[in-house]
Amino acid sequence: MVYRVHPSERVPHRVDRDRFLQLLCEHVGSDGLLFDAEDLRPYECDGLSAYRELPWIVALPETIEQVQAVLRVCREHGVPVVARGAGTGLSGGALPVANGVLLSLAKFNRIVEIDRANRTARVQPGVRNLAISEAAAPYGLYYAPDPSSQIACTIGGNVAENSGGVHCLKYGLTVHNVLEVRIVTMDGELLTLGGSGYDGPGYDLLALITGSEGLLGVIVEITVKLLPIPPCAQVLLAAFGSVEAAGEAVTAIIGAGLVPAGLEMMDNITIRAVEDFAHAGYPIDAAAIVLCEFDGIAEQVESDLLKARDIFRTQGATEVRQSTGEAERKRFWAGRKAAFPAAGRISPDYYCMDGTIPRKRLPEVLRRIAELSAQYGLAVGNVFHAGDGNLHPLILYDANKPGELERVEELGGKILEVCVEVGGTITGEHGVGVEKINQMCVQFGAAELAQFHAVKRAFDPAGLLNPGKAIPTLHRCAEFGAMHVHGGQMAHPELERF
Amino acid sequence: MNADLSESLRQAVLDAGNAGTPLMIAGSGSKAFYGRKATGSLLETAGHSGILSYEPTELVITARCGTRLSAIESVLAERGQILPFEPPHFGQNATLGGTLACGFSGPRRPFAGSARDCMLGCRFLNGEGEMLSFGGEVMKNVAGFDVSRLMVGAMGTLGVILEASLKVAPKPERELTVCFERSVEQALSAMNRWCSEPWPLSGLAYDGTRIFARLSGSERAVDAVYRKFGGEVLEKGDAFWEDLREQRHEFFRADGNLWRISLAPATPVLDVPGDWFYDWGGALRWLKTDAPAEAVFRAAEAAGGHAALFRGDSGDGQMFQPLNERLKSLHANLKRAFDPKGLFNPGRLYEDL
Ligand SMILES: Cc1cc2nc3c(=O)[nH]c(=O)nc-3n(C[C@H](O)[C@H](O)[C@H](O)COP(=O)(O)OP(=O)(O)OC[C@H]3O[C@@H](n4cnc5c(N)ncnc54)[C@H](O)[C@@H]3O)c2cc1C
Ligand SMILES: Cc1cc2nc3c(=O)[nH]c(=O)nc-3n(C[C@H](O)[C@H](O)[C@H](O)COP(=O)(O)OP(=O)(O)OC[C@H]3O[C@@H](n4cnc5c(N)ncnc54)[C@H](O)[C@@H]3O)c2cc1C
């Protein structure tokens, strides 16, 4: 596998585990600790299950004071800490470190308050994304960011990853929908970032902590913005004879000043897989389909649909359908939502990538993905948050074939490098974690990486929070860069590589 | 007009570092009234200007920091687009860099996002004179810490912003402003009720007598909404919001200290004597008062919000909500991480930053 812990990212310590368990026990009690191999097993990986590591200890605190105490004890003894929500992350962000404490926020599962007048929800980090919208629904309100994993993923994980969803073109990412968070830093201090209004005093630390992948602090409480549930939503399904035409139609929609609530695209491989699985009624001969949803008051939705239908037709759509009611709207979306499980049906395994590109470069990027796919002999389906340029290539493979996963990862890395080359980024919403840590060396120069490390030290000078994730060391990049330049020939073969 | 001065700005930062003399970053001087006085020799950024790329269908514009805000807005207007955060200019020559450094957002903010929300990426000089680039020109990007958004509102204390990429939005086809005469309690309650219902709002303010509500959307939608929403149509709606944004409204003309208080929108009337103007549906409150700074800070904090002396003199130089010790030390750490020699705008945001 491509990812290896780099020696420069290890946090060595010689603390005795039994002794340390005793120390932690004083604060979280024996109910709050796991240490037997079989109890640790469920925590060995997140959604990127190719990588596994048993944690040293799992701590399950129940109160903020306990989180503070655990972090203080770890800090005193130089023990690394990895925070974990639901473990649905797709980049290995919550992958344990072998000599560290895995801090699960699972017991922080309370919705503390729904403030109806101010349209906010104050929640603990272990609350599931969807649970917030469910709790707000009686007031006609909801929490807008809706990652596909929303039935399982936690809001703490969402803040740590700055997660998006199909509706973020119109309603923004997590960072646009959070008003205040409370974090515990590695030295056990409790801080409040943001405020009860739309901004906070001083530096925008709320923006900085959002998407920080558990490297700067442990999020222990979150206040999110709630929005009124739109009274009306309808979706258009447009089919195209080429991905280029579909891409241009998406551009024309945005160019016309429309703001769809969702604007998704998928290619033929995905359409076929999905149709077999979910029977959404997709036209299986289409080279690409676009789903375009509008929501809001009925009159607005009607005028938007009218405009969008015209645009799709002018742009050469071979077919345009409009959902006629809630059931059909759900059916159109069911296909999109089933894209991942459907890929899992047509192939023993699939690997989901997550790059963002300027939308106008889509045809070129898809062409290059197709070339890479042929070169590696691995099929790739494409699901695309077309409105905001976030591409999810799904690489189909068979993990039981020796060496296949390695080739998949190599292909995935190449795809991300194409994204960077056309002015995009290696991750739109899944985070860097361990998965894309090498590609960080491609996207950023040494000065930027050094600046990231300086920011990290401002919060966590000893580097104990989630070491080896998200921000590569310069040592790692030096080796990765050298490997790149020499076309797979290793520089410094004498160095340990695990 | 358009020139790339990044090399000379970089040289100036390096020289300042070598000489150990701090720099006072100045765009056009339009916001000199705001914030604490910085010390140091002048580093002028207005010459570093020009729009570098604008892709209407990608909803992104990238410009150098000295670019006039007005130039950006007129280029956007040609393609029927706007800066969603409706930034105040406070002067004809207001620059993009100054706007972002101050992090100002106008009346549309609660409905369309803030300056930092629209920040997609930037290039800046840190205190070592390194030219760094974070974020980019795409809507979704979670590679590394979100350093570009951290620059917004940092008052130039973390770096010299050289270029920024901002998210833009289509200008609504139609906007209509309607008014309702209400007492302050009624106004707060009505504004907050409307915000929890799906009205297509894009502005909500209260001047002490009347609520001003701006409705946005397609012709059809605005017509239909107006029939249900009611109110008295304000003929020059656009002018009203512009005057509010630029603080040309009657309320702002009177002398005395003007405070900006940001808090939860439904917070009841704060117990500080003075005149009030409510924007952002109640979440942004302008206060004209001669009450001591202490009292204003205390009231804002008690409401979970924060206050800033926007115009005027607090007597002791305190302008921004004091931070607790823990936040203060984190601010100091971050300042050191970007500007270890303390070159940029020392004292502009807080005394010891
Ligand atoms: C089927 C599927 C679909 C998905 N769809 C989407 C999608 O549409 N959009 C999207 O953005 N993502 C998606 N994801 C990815 C994932 O669900 C998100 O990244 C989610 O936010 C992770 O939440 P979690 O609670 O599972 O976090 P975890 O996986 O437990 O942790 C993720 C990261 O956050 C850190 N972390 C967790 N909790 C805290 C905390 N309280 N304080 C500090 N750090 C913390 C961890 O250390 C780790 O680095 C999908 C995943 C799956 C499996
Ligand atoms: C020619 C001139 C001479 C001046 N002389 C003095 C003087 O002698 N003494 C004095 O006290 N004041 C002086 N000022 C005003 C002083 O510069 C301002 O108080 C302060 O720096 C605010 O800058 P601004 O309003 O020009 O910038 P604006 O463009 O209005 O910017 C507002 C804020 O943003 C910051 N900023 C602007 N551009 C950037 C950028 N690209 N990157 C990071 N931060 C940025 C500024 O530092 C300021 O804090 C002068 C201003 C000018 C234009």
Side-chain angles (χ1 to χ4, degrees):
Chain A
M1 285 178 292
V2 176
Y3 170 76
R4 296 283 181 279
V5 176
H6 191 272
S8 62
E9 292 158 355
R10 296 192 158 229
V11 182
H13 67 76
R14 290 157 165 275
V15 181
D16 177 66
R17 193 173 79 144
D18 290 339
R19 166 91 190 87
F20 200 67
L21 279 167
Q22 272 173 14
L23 284 176
L24 291 177
C25 191
E26 284 170 28
H27 300 285
V28 293
S30 52
D31 291 355
L33 291 171
L34 303 173
F35 44 85
D36 283 341
E38 75 250 42
D39 293 335
L40 297 176
R41 190 70 63 200
Y43 298 90
E44 68 179 350
C45 67
D46 63 7
L48 183 68
S49 56
Y51 296 103
R52 288 163 199 269
E53 182 80 76
L54 277 191
W56 197 49
I57 292 168
V58 172
L60 294 139
E62 274 183 274
T63 65
I64 291 177
E65 292 72 25
Q66 290 179 348
V67 173
Q68 291 179 281
V70 169
L71 292 184
R72 252 183 228 126
V73 173
C74 289
R75 169 77 204 265
E76 268 162 39
H77 293 80
V79 171
V81 177
V82 178
R84 179 184 172 104
T88 67
L90 291 173
S91 56
L95 180 72
V97 292
N99 66 346
V101 170
L102 195 282
L103 184 78
S104 165
L105 281 308
K107 290 186 180 172
F108 283 82
N109 59 1
R110 263 189 336 115
I111 293 178
V112 182
E113 181 192 15
I114 302 268
D115 182 341
R116 185 180 185 175
N118 286 303
R119 290 98 54 205
T120 58
R122 190 151 59 89
V123 303
Q124 294 186 329
V127 169
R128 290 172 306 110
N129 172 297
L130 188 61
I132 302 177
S133 290
E134 285 168 352
Y139 309 106
L141 301 170
Y142 78 116
Y143 175 63
D146 56 343
S148 312
S149 51
Q150 71 180 152
I151 52 166
C153 65
T154 68
I155 186 71
N158 292 173
V159 175
E161 300 283 14
N162 190 16
S163 298
V166 291
H167 290 98
C168 61
L169 174 64
K170 180 168 176 185
Y171 295 105
L173 306 162
T174 304
V175 71
H176 303 114
N177 289 279
V178 171
L179 297 170
E180 185 176 276
V181 304
R182 304 180 85 196
I183 64 165
V184 178
T185 50
M186 197 58 218
D187 49 13
E189 297 283 1
L190 180 64
L191 298 174
T192 302
L193 315 180
S196 70
Y198 289 113
D199 45 40
Y203 295 148
D204 199 333
L205 301 178
L206 183 59
L208 187 62
I209 198 84
T210 308
S212 64
E213 301 195 27
L215 268 73
L216 302 181
V218 175
I219 299 152
V220 291
E221 192 177 279
I222 301 128
T223 304
V224 300
K225 197 162 88 178
L226 301 174
L227 296 179
I229 298 171
C232 173
Q234 285 307 330
V235 61
L236 292 175
L237 186 161
F240 292 88
S242 72
V243 285
E244 283 82 358
E248 270 158 33
V250 165
T251 300
I253 292 279
I254 304 286
L258 291 167
V259 185
L263 188 55
E264 298 283 315
M265 177 171 155
M266 59 185 109
D267 67 2
N268 183 264
I269 295 190
T270 319
I271 296 169
R272 283 173 185 271
V274 155
E275 194 45 37
D276 268 1
F277 180 77
H279 312 292
Y282 290 171
I284 55 168
D285 296 331
I289 61 169
V290 173
L291 291 173
C292 176
E293 174 158 296
F294 293 98
D295 67 10
I297 57 165
E299 293 83 357
Q300 181 74 47
V301 172
E302 277 159 28
S303 38
D304 289 347
L305 287 169
L306 211 63
K307 262 198 202 170
R309 266 202 316 256
D310 263 3
I311 292 171
F312 283 136
R313 291 222 178 83
T314 327
Q315 295 289 327
T318 51
E319 188 185 349
V320 183
R321 288 187 224 158
Q322 182 177 321
S323 61
T324 45
E326 198 49 20
E328 195 171 23
R329 185 181 82 88
K330 288 229 163 88
R331 192 157 65 88
F332 283 1
W333 277 114
R336 166 62 185 85
K337 294 205 164 156
F340 293 1
R345 275 259 300 245
I346 56 166
S347 166
D349 298 281
Y350 69 92
Y351 194 102
C352 174
M353 309 297 303
D354 165 49
T356 306
I357 55 171
R359 205 182 323 93
K360 64 178 169 185
R361 307 293 290 267
L362 180 68
E364 174 191 348
V365 171
L366 290 182
R367 195 160 50 242
R368 288 178 65 186
I369 292 178
E371 283 163 19
L372 285 166
S373 154
Q375 186 188 328
Y376 280 80
L378 292 164
V380 181
N382 287 289
V383 190
F384 190 43
H385 299 304
D388 41 33
N390 190 193
L391 187 63
H392 290 312
L394 299 174
I395 307 175
L396 309 180
Y397 73 106
D398 181 352
N400 287 327
K401 288 194 191 151
E404 188 140 303
L405 176 60
E406 283 74 2
R407 283 197 301 125
V408 167
E409 288 184 306
E410 201 179 299
L411 166 58
K414 291 265 160 64
I415 292 176
L416 295 183
E417 285 161 33
V418 171
C419 293
V420 175
E421 201 187 305
V422 300
T425 174
I426 58 171
T427 172
E429 58 183 14
H430 294 167
V432 174
V434 300
E435 184 200 28
K436 281 154 278 196
I437 196 156
N438 286 335
Q439 276 71 36
M440 283 292 281
C441 312
V442 177
Q443 181 154 341
F444 293 100
E448 280 88 3
L449 293 174
Q451 187 67 73
F452 283 142
H453 285 293
V455 169
K456 163 81 169 158
R457 279 194 302 275
F459 284 79
D460 173 22
L464 297 176
L465 267 178
N466 220 1
K469 314 284 177 64
I471 314 292
T473 58
L474 296 178
H475 283 97
R476 171 187 282 279
C477 288
E479 278 173 42
F480 180 70
M483 288 196 299
H484 243 52
V485 172
H486 302 300
Q489 245 189 6
M490 289 251 199
H492 307 293
E494 74 284 2
L495 287 180
E496 195 180 7
R497 277 190 174 76
F498 306 92
Chain B
M1 272 286 278
N2 294 349
D4 180 0
L5 304 185
S6 47
E7 237 348 280
S8 68
L9 289 168
R10 193 172 89 91
Q11 198 53 52
V13 171
L14 288 173
D15 292 347
N18 290 332
T21 49
L23 294 169
M24 185 164 68
I25 309 167
S28 69
S30 61
K31 295 162 192 66
F33 65 87
Y34 176 69
R36 298 162 44 88
K37 296 287 160 262
T39 50
S41 41
L42 203 62
L43 182 72
E44 288 183 78
T45 59
H48 183 59
S49 72
I51 293 171
L52 297 174
S53 72
Y54 171 38
E55 297 276 356
T57 59
E58 303 279 332
L59 302 177
V60 183
I61 192 163
T62 300
R64 296 197 182 102
C65 65
T67 314
R68 301 287 176 273
L69 207 49
S70 54
I72 293 176
E73 287 180 336
S74 63
V75 165
L76 293 178
E78 279 168 30
R79 305 298 298 263
Q81 295 187 331
I82 54 170
L83 291 172
F85 59 106
E86 203 173 15
H89 293 219
F90 300 136
Q92 288 181 340
N93 295 325
T95 64
L96 175 63
T99 301
L100 293 174
C102 291
F104 289 157
S105 308
R108 204 179 296 272
R109 191 261 172 265
F111 313 96
S114 61
R116 77 86 131 125
D117 286 347
C118 295
M119 177 70 133
L120 298 177
C122 73
R123 184 188 293 276
F124 67 90
L125 290 165
N126 69 7
E128 313 272 15
E130 292 172 319
M131 225 179 274
L132 305 176
S133 183
F134 294 98
E137 296 194 300
V138 291
M139 296 295 144
K140 287 168 87 177
N141 187 351
V142 293
F145 302 131
D146 199 344
V147 172
S148 25
R149 289 203 169 95
L150 180 65
M151 292 293 139
V152 182
M155 296 293 287
T157 59
L158 296 177
V160 183
I161 300 168
L162 293 175
E163 300 165 21
S165 299
L166 298 178
K167 182 182 171 172
V168 303
K171 184 175 159 54
E173 193 177 295
R174 166 114 188 271
E175 298 202 308
L176 179 73
T177 301
V178 290
C179 314
F180 303 83
E181 232 162 86
R182 293 286 187 272
S183 73
V184 61
E185 286 79 14
Q186 289 170 333
L188 279 174
S189 130
M191 292 193 293
N192 281 289
R193 192 179 63 249
W194 291 333
C195 283
S196 59
E197 298 162 353
W199 302 107
L201 289 161
S202 67
L204 206 45
Y206 176 69
D207 69 356
T209 4
R210 284 192 296 173
I211 304 178
F212 298 80
R214 180 169 59 186
L215 304 167
S216 294
S218 67
E219 294 284 351
R220 256 192 82 192
V222 171
D223 278 348
V225 168
Y226 170 60
R227 267 178 268 125
K228 292 179 225 162
F229 201 74
E232 178 199 333
V233 174
L234 187 70
E235 284 311 326
K236 294 194 171 133
D238 291 350
F240 169 81
W241 297 104
E242 194 180 312
D243 283 350
L244 169 56
R245 189 190 80 194
E246 297 300 332
Q247 302 189 337
R248 290 187 299 239
H249 189 281
E250 198 56 45
F251 170 86
F252 297 98
R253 277 194 233 137
D255 288 335
N257 283 351
L258 175 69
W259 289 85
R260 174 192 190 278
I261 303 172
S262 167
L263 36 55
T267 310
V269 176
L270 291 195
D271 186 21
V272 184
D275 292 331
W276 295 84
F277 196 110
Y278 298 76
D279 195 1
W280 294 3
L284 181 65
R285 302 186 184 183
W286 299 102
L287 167 64
K288 281 268 182 195
T289 185
D290 43 21
E294 247 322 292
V296 183
F297 288 135
R298 221 179 314 117
E301 192 174 339
H306 67 109
L309 180 58
F310 205 77
R311 295 176 194 264
D313 184 0
S314 66
D316 61 355
Q318 286 271 55
M319 300 234 159
F320 297 104
Q321 187 79 35
L323 303 173
N324 63 38
E325 288 308 315
R326 290 175 305 239
L327 271 180
K328 221 190 238 179
S329 86
L330 193 51
H331 275 66
N333 291 350
L334 273 171
K335 169 77 174 172
R336 261 195 306 281
F338 285 90
D339 179 18
K341 296 178 195 148
L343 296 181
F344 299 135
N345 283 355
R348 184 99 164 86
L349 181 56
Y350 286 104
E351 190 175 358
D352 30 20
L353 274 191

